[in-house]
Amino acid sequence: MTSESSHKLSLSIVCGGLLILLLAGIVWATSVGAVSIPFSETARIVVSRFPFVPKDRLLSGIPSTHITIILRVRLPRVLLAGLVGAGLAVAGVVLQALFRNPLADPQVLGISSGAACGAAVAIVSGIGFSVAGISSIWLCAFVGAILTMILVFRVARISSSHSATSILLAGIACSSMLTAAITIMMMWKREKLEQIYLWMMGSFSAASWLRVGFVAIVLVPAVICFMVLGRELDLISLGDHEARSMGVSVKNTRIIAVVATSLLIAASVSVSGIIGFVSLIIPHIVRLLSGPKSRRSLPLCLLVGAIFMIACDTLSRSLVPPAEIPVGAITQVIGAPYFLYLLSRARKREGNEA
Amino acid sequence: MNIEVKHISYHPNGAGRSILQDVCANFAPGHLTALLGPNGSGKTTLLRHFLSQLQPTEGRIEVGGKSPQDYSAKELAKILSWVPQQGNESSAFTVEDMVSMARYPYKKAFDAENEEDRQIVAQAMEELEVAELRTRMFSSLSGGERQRVLIARALAQSTPWVLMDEPTSNLDVRHQIEMLELLRQKVDAGRISAVVVMHDFNLVERYCDRAVLLQAGEVVSKGATSEVLVPEVLERVYGVHVEVLEKSGQRFFFPTSKGNTTS
């Protein structure tokens, strides 16, 4: 009992620390860029957007170009990176529990490829419309992700008890089919090859407040839903039959969780492209700290995912200015070796125990 | 609360061979019932019908007069608990977390564990001697330890009925005997009734008062243990030679392979 409450205490201390780190990270990332704007100035501009603060006093003496750069360009980009990072990490936790597979992630489910295929169709067909700030690529990517998700789940019969493996297999099959379709489109319209390829590697360069709002509107209810379903997810991670015998309505829980996760992934991927490894690696790292309970790992994943993605995006735009390295490449370059290190450490530990 | 099996048949996908064929049985409370039969005879399939994991193709199952499907998942979990043959071996939950999960049907979404839950969980862990393992990860346990954790979890679910699928298969001799004695004691005290899939005739003879014998999806015999454990019937069903010795009023079974009779 005492151990449980001290666990809770240490979890909230860790969360508090990460929250402070996240806020500092947002301000720091916003101050970094081609035009260097001092940290204190950035902090004042960011804080000036909060309600109930003396706006004029905070902003006095700051050039208006700086204010524009921060508020119109950098802040939405940093926030979008944070939201997408948080969303992908949280989605990873839920997918890994639902499918009882430590490798389940948006790419394996085919949702990422669906988004990429939608984006490629928009790019190749040249329908370059933009309604109320929503570009055709963004819209088509979102629709592509949703359609793929529906296809995968129809094929795998979401509610059947064998769904865990068959959804993954259906996802892998759809994913390779869509990737092939993208390749054909790239070969067909070679002049669009680079644009499609760069979209697929992921980037936050098209960030806008609209995109920030869109991801936030999906992320907040999804996270609330996952927290409410925390116990059910834990039980389902043991097996559908076991969960059912302990009173979980497995079918309903699965449907709600899968739909919420898919919407979250579709929203995240449609605004940023495919950013690999975040859904896979952040949950694994966080569980080393939090243990396997969803209600403990979800809040930590939310924060760590956001911090990690903001850091990667900042690297992507500041390593070789004025060029940008696709953020998906950075997450993989950092993520994959660290994941290998974790795996080898886990192996060693197992070896010692046996 | 009775569990009644009324003429159920089960053919998966409506085709092929039937796994259960016109099975009838009545499981009355207050008994420790053994479910016997060779591998593939339909024992697990029958139990899974009780738990509403499978629906009969024909016939009807009633738990307390209602089909298991007519209960909500939580309601059914307050009546039946289940010990699977093996749990998820890769589960990273600790033993205490695993056993605590049994309290799920009694909780609303954000209810915390209360003193009663903690006592029930602690008692179940004591009874199965897994209390010292409470902080160990389930995946790091041996097969027998895992099985004891799963049994403790079923008991912590505080249900009138406990269904067990080969609960003794990984246990050492002492734990087999102690587990069955614990079960017998709880049944005699009127706390639980149990249906247990078992293979060892001697353990069945010693601890179970009722038995149902299945072969190829059909009930061969059912009733008091002594009426079901008939050497001639067992020989026919299992395809072995069964010798019985009696010592101080108790029967001991010695199955040997056919054609390899010892005399």
Side-chain angles (χ1 to χ4, degrees):
Chain A
M1 186 181 128
T2 43
S3 77
E4 179 76 0
S5 52
S6 74
H7 268 305
K8 265 179 197 143
L9 191 68
S10 66
L11 182 75
S12 42
I13 289 172
V14 171
C15 276
L18 285 170
L19 192 63
I20 293 167
L21 188 65
L22 175 63
L23 293 175
I26 289 173
V27 175
W28 167 75
T30 314
S31 71
V32 172
V35 179
S36 101
I37 299 171
F39 190 90
S40 62
E41 234 175 68
T42 314
R44 273 154 64 202
I45 298 170
V46 172
V47 171
S48 77
R49 303 308 291 176
F50 294 168
F52 315 116
V53 289
K55 210 169 161 182
D56 300 330
R57 250 206 9 239
L58 275 169
L59 293 180
S60 69
I62 300 176
S64 64
T65 48
H66 286 190
I67 297 176
T68 312
I69 289 173
I70 297 279
L71 292 182
R72 298 284 294 277
V73 182
R74 289 195 197 155
L75 194 55
R77 178 168 182 157
V78 170
L79 291 180
L80 188 67
L83 287 168
V84 168
L88 290 176
V90 166
V93 175
V94 178
L95 290 178
Q96 286 161 21
L98 279 180
F99 298 120
R100 292 185 284 282
N101 189 321
L103 295 177
D105 81 343
Q107 271 167 303
V108 174
L109 281 181
I111 303 176
S112 300
S113 312
C117 197
V121 167
I123 293 169
V124 165
S125 65
I127 40 169
F129 70 84
S130 171
V131 182
I134 301 171
S135 73
S136 56
I137 298 176
W138 174 13
L139 187 70
C140 288
F142 186 71
V143 171
I146 299 288
L147 288 179
T148 312
M149 166 201 125
I150 292 170
L151 176 68
V152 169
F153 296 145
R154 284 301 287 268
V155 171
R157 294 236 322 278
I158 178 176
S159 54
S160 87
S161 55
H162 308 293
S163 61
T165 320
S166 58
I167 283 191
L168 291 181
L169 291 176
I172 290 168
C174 282
S175 183
S176 59
M177 186 175 74
L178 292 164
T179 310
I182 296 168
T183 310
I184 292 168
M185 279 188 271
M186 291 202 289
M187 289 300 114
W188 177 41
K189 292 263 172 140
R190 291 204 175 211
E191 69 276 14
K192 307 273 190 186
L193 196 146
E194 192 185 345
Q195 198 188 348
I196 297 175
Y197 190 71
L198 283 178
W199 191 93
M200 283 172 64
M201 291 303 294
S203 167
F204 293 105
S205 56
S208 65
W209 282 109
L210 188 65
R211 291 186 179 212
V212 170
F214 174 65
V215 178
I217 278 174
V218 181
L219 178 67
V220 171
V223 169
I224 291 172
C225 160
F226 299 150
M227 287 301 282
V228 171
L229 292 178
R231 280 199 188 128
E232 284 81 357
L233 290 173
D234 291 348
L235 281 152
I236 285 177
S237 77
L238 301 178
D240 283 8
H241 291 321
E242 275 186 75
R244 170 80 215 217
S245 76
M246 284 183 272
V248 178
S249 355
V250 174
K251 200 167 150 181
N252 294 343
T253 309
R254 257 183 192 290
I255 291 173
I256 296 170
V258 161
V259 169
T261 320
S262 303
L263 285 172
L264 180 57
I265 294 167
S268 305
V269 177
S270 71
V271 297
S272 63
I274 299 175
I275 300 173
F277 251 95
V278 179
S279 295
L280 189 63
I281 190 173
I282 302 290
H284 282 274
I285 294 171
V286 162
R287 273 193 291 255
L288 292 178
L289 262 165
S290 69
K293 282 188 186 170
S294 304
R295 281 196 184 151
R296 292 169 57 82
S297 60
L298 281 168
L300 278 180
C301 266
L302 197 75
L303 293 165
V304 174
I307 293 168
F308 178 72
M309 191 68 95
I310 288 173
C312 286
D313 180 53
T314 309
L315 284 176
S316 94
R317 62 193 166 85
S318 55
L319 276 182
V320 284
E324 279 193 14
I325 302 170
V327 65
I330 298 211
T331 58
Q332 309 219 32
V333 161
I334 297 174
Y338 190 65
F339 194 64
L340 288 173
Y341 161 73
L342 284 183
L343 276 179
S344 71
R345 226 183 51 162
R347 278 271 158 277
K348 253 183 225 150
R349 220 182 18 220
E350 252 167 48
N352 289 344
E353 236 171 56
Chain B
M1 189 179 278
N2 277 27
I3 301 180
E4 282 182 86
V5 180
K6 297 173 172 174
H7 300 282
I8 69 160
S9 298
Y10 178 67
H11 331 270
N13 303 323
R17 74 190 185 92
S18 50
I19 297 182
L20 293 176
Q21 189 61 51
D22 197 30
V23 172
C24 288
N26 182 20
F27 298 87
H31 294 290
L32 179 45
T33 307
L35 200 50
L36 295 166
N39 298 143
S41 56
K43 306 179 294 294
T44 302
T45 307
L46 182 60
L47 286 189
R48 291 179 58 192
H49 277 85
F50 296 2
L51 293 156
S52 179
Q53 291 172 7
L54 295 174
Q55 273 77 55
T57 318
E58 288 158 43
R60 190 173 158 78
I61 296 240
E62 283 179 7
V63 175
K66 263 165 70 176
S67 160
Q69 284 169 271
D70 295 340
Y71 290 95
S72 75
K74 275 192 179 175
E75 280 171 353
L76 193 63
K78 289 179 192 171
I79 300 170
L80 302 172
S81 59
W82 182 48
V83 180
Q85 271 181 28
Q86 58 195 48
N88 181 345
E89 287 170 18
S90 61
S91 168
F93 288 103
T94 64
V95 167
E96 192 165 20
D97 287 342
M98 283 291 262
V99 179
S100 303
M101 284 182 186
R103 304 305 298 164
Y104 170 81
Y106 303 95
K107 300 277 138 191
K108 291 205 186 88
F110 285 99
D111 283 355
E113 222 173 47
N114 60 29
E115 196 49 46
E116 190 196 357
D117 297 323
R118 274 190 283 273
Q119 265 172 19
I120 289 170
V121 168
Q123 194 197 336
M125 289 197 297
E126 288 295 336
E127 283 174 339
L128 272 298
E129 294 182 35
V130 292
E132 310 83 73
L133 307 172
R134 56 166 26 102
T135 56
R136 287 270 299 278
M137 244 188 239
F138 187 71
S139 59
S140 74
L141 303 180
S142 75
E145 289 168 334
R146 274 184 211 144
Q147 208 155 31
R148 273 148 54 204
V149 171
L150 296 178
I151 297 166
R153 189 179 69 186
L155 294 181
Q157 210 170 314
S158 313
T159 52
W161 280 93
V162 182
L163 311 175
M164 300 184 163
D165 202 344
E166 301 193 25
T168 55
S169 59
N170 286 318
L171 300 185
D172 62 47
V173 180
R174 177 173 71 87
H175 283 113
Q176 282 188 5
I177 295 171
E178 286 180 359
M179 196 279 285
L180 287 165
E181 268 168 8
L182 175 72
L183 219 52
R184 186 72 251 173
Q185 195 188 316
K186 284 185 179 290
V187 171
D188 287 340
R191 305 263 303 280
I192 59 167
S193 313
V195 181
V196 185
V197 174
M198 297 217 312
H199 286 300
D200 186 323
F201 303 143
N202 292 307
L203 292 177
V204 174
E205 170 84 1
R206 188 132 47 117
Y207 295 105
C208 302
D209 51 296
R210 287 274 197 283
V212 174
L213 175 61
L214 292 174
Q215 182 184 23
E218 292 180 58
V219 176
V220 176
S221 62
K222 59 192 174 194
T225 307
S226 57
E227 294 161 24
V228 175
L229 290 181
V230 178
E232 296 73 39
V233 178
L234 296 176
E235 285 187 348
R236 181 163 52 79
V237 169
Y238 284 90
V240 291
H241 180 77
V242 178
E243 206 167 331
V244 178
L245 292 185
E246 281 207 42
K247 196 183 174 194
S248 49
Q250 204 171 0
R251 298 192 297 167
F252 292 90
F253 295 81
F254 295 95
T256 51
S257 78
K258 263 190 178 165
N260 187 13
T261 47
T262 46
S263 51

